[in-house]
Amino acid sequence: MFHSTGWKVSYLLTPEDLTAKFRCHQQYISYSASSPCQYAFARYLEVFDPSVNQAEMQRKRNIFNELIKETPLIVEQKAEGAVFQVVNFRNVSKTMTDVEFSRWLTVEKKVACLPLSAFYNSRQNSDYVRFSFAKKDELIIDALEYLRKNL
């Protein structure tokens, strides 16, 4: 939400008995949180308006979804409450696994995506990859224009 990918800053609101249990495992969950970022986010939350962020992410999602219609990739369900859009890639390849497709798209076409199977314990191949639309508008537009011409 705050465009700080990689910093892994978060917060938890829960009853004290659950917080105590969480603290036992916290060292294994977030072992390198950035203190300056935590202080900055805490201060920013005093003035942050989530509706502004929501409207901005919806606008970016809509740009992404409009432009992807011009490619062979298929959006079956519009993302809600996320900064990732899941896309079916089978019109591009019937034989590649989602991992192979993601690697190919990222390495050969220079447009990054992640295989959906990476998020499941089974690691079973799927027909889907996910793209982030939490990017500058120009990057979203350029990437999808490139895919329209090169897939």
Side-chain angles (χ1 to χ4, degrees), residues 41-97:
F41 286 144
R43 185 70 185 261
Y44 182 61
L45 286 173
E46 295 172 9
V47 298
F48 175 68
D49 181 356
S51 65
V52 172
N53 186 267
Q54 179 183 18
E56 178 69 5
M57 290 300 112
Q58 286 175 343
R59 187 185 65 73
K60 289 177 177 297
R61 178 206 56 205
N62 293 343
I63 291 170
F64 181 93
N65 285 343
E66 276 304 308
L67 294 174
I68 206 159
K69 289 176 184 176
E70 299 174 18
T71 75
L73 302 169
I74 304 294
V75 172
E76 295 174 357
Q77 183 173 349
K78 184 169 59 171
E80 292 186 35
V83 296
F84 300 103
Q85 180 62 63
V86 175
V87 173
N88 186 310
F89 68 90
R90 288 298 174 203
N91 284 341
V92 178
S93 174
K94 303 274 190 228
T95 59
M96 283 191 257
T97 66

Side-chain angles (χ1 to χ4, degrees), residues 138-150:
E138 299 80 26
L139 183 61
I140 297 168
I141 294 165
D142 290 348
L144 288 167
E145 179 65 18
Y146 178 82
L147 291 179
R148 183 183 67 78
K149 292 177 181 176
N150 294 288

